C-alpha cells in the first residue's frame, strides 16, 4: 500500500510540535523531517523522535539539504556534514538520509568530469559509512544547478555509486525544463517529463516527493498526478509519497500553507485510490 507523508521543516525547535500534530490531524501515514545542522542536538533529536512516536507517525526520510558536489577545497567539509547527518538520521530512527547533488552544471565536459568523479567517491564513502549506522542514503533529482537534473544524470550516479544502500527519491517536479524547476513557471513545451524522466527513473525509486505548486482549486494544476501515479503503479511502487508544498501567494494559491497541504493530501489520496482501480 502506498503511504502518504509530508516534509516537516521549521526554522526553530518551537515549530516542530505543531508540524507533527498537523501531520497527524490530516491523517498522514508517515512524516519526513528536515532539520538544519544547528537543530541536530541529541536532546532535540530524542524529543522529535518521541513526538513522532506519540503521534503514531513513522519517520521516512531525514534531510538537512546536504549536497556532495562542489569546490574541492570544501570537499572534506561537505562529507563531514553528510556523515553527521547520517548519525542524526540513525539517532532519530529515520529510514533514509536524503541527499542532493546540487552544484552549477559546468559548460565544458572537462569541468563536468572534474566535479563528477569526486562526487561519486564521496557518495560511495557516505553510503559505506551510513551502512554501518543502518541508514539508507537516497539521492533526489533537482534542477537548480544540479548534477542530477535529468534522467541520464540520475541513472549514471546510481550506476557508478553502486552501493546497495544508495537509492533514489523521485521528485515529481524538479527537473531540467520542467515547469516546477527554474525559473519557476517556465517550461520546455517540447518536453514530456513523464516519458523523458519519470518512466525512466521510477523503477529505481524507493521514495517519492510529490511537489505541489498550485492546489487552490482542489487539484494540482502544474503536474499530471493521475498520469504520474499510473507510472508508479506500472512498476508496482509500494513506498511513501511525501507532500512537498512549494508555496506561492495569490494568484498562484489563495490559501495558507497548511490549508494547501491538507488539500493536497485529500487530492493525492483520491488519485492514489483511482490508480488502484486503474491497475485492476
Amino acid at each position: 500500500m502506498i503511504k502518504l507523508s509530508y516534509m516537516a521543516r521549521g526554522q526553530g525547535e518551537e515549530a516542530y510540535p505543531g508540524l507533527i500534530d498537523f501531520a497527524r490531524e490530516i491523517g498522514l501515514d508517515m512524516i519526513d523531517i528536515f532539520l538544519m545542522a544547528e537543530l541536530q542536538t541529541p536532546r532535540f533529536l530524542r524529543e522529535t523522535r518521541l513526538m513522532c512516536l506519540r503521534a503514531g507517525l513513522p519517520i521516512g526520510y531525514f534531510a538537512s539539504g546536504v549536497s556532495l558536489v562542489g569546490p574541492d577545497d570544501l570537499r572534506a567539509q561537505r562529507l563531514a556534514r553528510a556523515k553527521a547527518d547520517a548519525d542524526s538520521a540513525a539517532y532519530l530512527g529515520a529510514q533514509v538520509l536524503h541527499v542532493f547533488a546540487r552544484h552549477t552544471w559546468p559548460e565544458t565536459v572537462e569541468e563536468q568530469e572534474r566535479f563528477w568523479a569526486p562526487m561519486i567517491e564521496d557518495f560511495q564513502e557516505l553510503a559505506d559509512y551510513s551502512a554501518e549506522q543502518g541508514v539508507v542514503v537516497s539521492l533526489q533529482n533537482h534542477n537548480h544547478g544540479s548534477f542530477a537534473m535529468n534522467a541520464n544524470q540520475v541513472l549514471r550516479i546510481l550506476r557508478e555509486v553502486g552501493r546497495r544502500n544508495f537509492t533514489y527519491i523521485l521528485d515529481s517536479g524538479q527537473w531540467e525544463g520542467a515547469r516546477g524547476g527554474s525559473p519557476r513557471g517556465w517550461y520546455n513545451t517540447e518536453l514530456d517529463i513523464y516519458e523523458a524522466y519519470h518512466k525512466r527513473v521510477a523503477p529505481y525509486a524507493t521514495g517519492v516527493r510529490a511537489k505541489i505548486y498550485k492546489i487552490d482549486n482542489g487539484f494540482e494544476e502544474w503536474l499530471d498526478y493521475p498520469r504520474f501515479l499510473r507510472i508508479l503503479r506500472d512498476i508496482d511502487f509500494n513506498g511513501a509519497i511525501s507532500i512537498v508544498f512549494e508555496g506561492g501567494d495569490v494568484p498562484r494559491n489563495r490559501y495558507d500553507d497548511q490549508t494547501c497541504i491538507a488539500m493536497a493530501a485529500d487530492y493525492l489520496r483520491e488519485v492514489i485510490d483511482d490508480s488502484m482501480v486503474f491497475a485492476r
Side-chain angles (χ1 to χ4, degrees):
M1 182 183 74
I2 292 177
K3 280 71 68 178
L4 200 58
S5 180
Y6 100 118
M7 185 180 72
R9 177 177 183 170
Q11 295 301 310
E13 293 184 9
E14 69 283 352
Y16 285 87
L19 294 171
I20 293 167
D21 284 346
F22 171 68
R24 178 184 55 79
E25 289 166 4
I26 64 173
L28 297 180
D29 306 300
M30 300 176 66
I31 192 167
D32 303 302
I33 301 293
F34 185 107
L35 279 182
M36 295 177 289
E38 56 267 29
L39 296 181
Q40 294 179 35
T41 65
R43 178 195 57 77
F44 190 60
L45 289 169
R46 287 195 302 272
E47 182 62 26
T48 301
R49 182 171 183 166
L50 185 57
M51 286 189 289
C52 293
L53 176 65
R54 287 174 171 163
L57 294 169
I59 300 168
Y61 69 73
F62 173 82
S64 73
V66 67
S67 174
L68 284 186
V69 59
D72 189 63
D73 60 338
L74 297 176
R75 184 178 176 185
Q77 180 179 326
R78 290 192 301 270
L79 189 55
R81 178 66 263 159
K83 289 180 177 179
D85 290 343
D87 292 339
S88 292
Y91 201 84
L92 189 63
Q95 296 179 349
V96 167
L97 171 63
H98 168 286
V99 295
F100 287 111
R102 284 192 302 205
H103 184 70
T104 302
W105 182 246
E107 293 184 3
T108 69
V109 173
E110 181 181 9
E111 278 291 287
Q112 293 162 11
E113 294 303 314
R114 186 173 69 84
F115 282 104
W116 190 275
M119 173 188 70
I120 296 300
E121 292 173 1
D122 288 350
F123 277 140
Q124 290 173 331
E125 183 171 340
L126 176 62
D128 292 343
Y129 178 86
S130 298
E132 296 177 1
Q133 317 302 315
V135 172
V136 171
V137 179
S138 288
L139 171 74
Q140 180 208 317
N141 56 280
H142 199 284
N143 85 307
H144 292 335
S146 176
F147 276 50
M149 62 184 171
N150 58 50
N152 288 341
Q153 292 173 329
V154 168
L155 296 175
R156 181 183 172 189
I157 292 172
L158 292 173
R159 181 178 67 252
E160 293 186 8
V161 172
R163 296 295 192 270
R164 191 162 181 263
N165 73 316
F166 187 85
T167 67
Y168 171 57
I169 295 175
L170 197 173
D171 187 290
S172 60
Q174 284 286 3
W175 292 104
E176 180 183 27
R179 190 174 185 181
S182 179
R184 183 66 49 80
W186 174 89
Y187 63 101
N188 181 351
T189 57
E190 297 181 358
L191 173 69
D192 181 345
I193 64 172
Y194 307 92
E195 290 290 334
Y197 301 144
H198 294 155
K199 279 190 175 181
R200 295 180 61 200
V201 300
Y204 303 92
T206 53
V208 168
R209 282 164 51 100
K211 287 295 178 64
I212 300 296
Y213 298 101
K214 181 167 173 53
I215 192 71
D216 62 344
N217 288 314
F219 65 99
E220 169 55 36
E221 298 183 39
W222 284 19
L223 289 168
D224 185 345
Y225 274 112
R227 185 178 178 189
F228 182 69
L229 260 295
R230 288 196 294 272
I231 291 170
L232 294 183
R233 287 296 183 190
D234 285 345
I235 53 95
D236 197 28
F237 178 79
N238 194 43
I241 295 178
S242 182
I243 300 167
V244 183
F245 180 56
E246 289 285 9
D249 297 328
V250 174
R252 201 165 93 213
N253 287 293
R254 292 168 283 169
Y255 307 114
D256 62 37
D257 286 12
Q258 288 199 342
T259 300
C260 288
I261 292 168
M263 293 174 73
D266 289 341
Y267 171 65
L268 287 172
R269 285 192 193 97
E270 181 180 316
V271 175
I272 290 167
D273 288 346
D274 287 348
S275 74
M276 293 178 66
V277 173
F278 180 86
R280 290 198 290 270

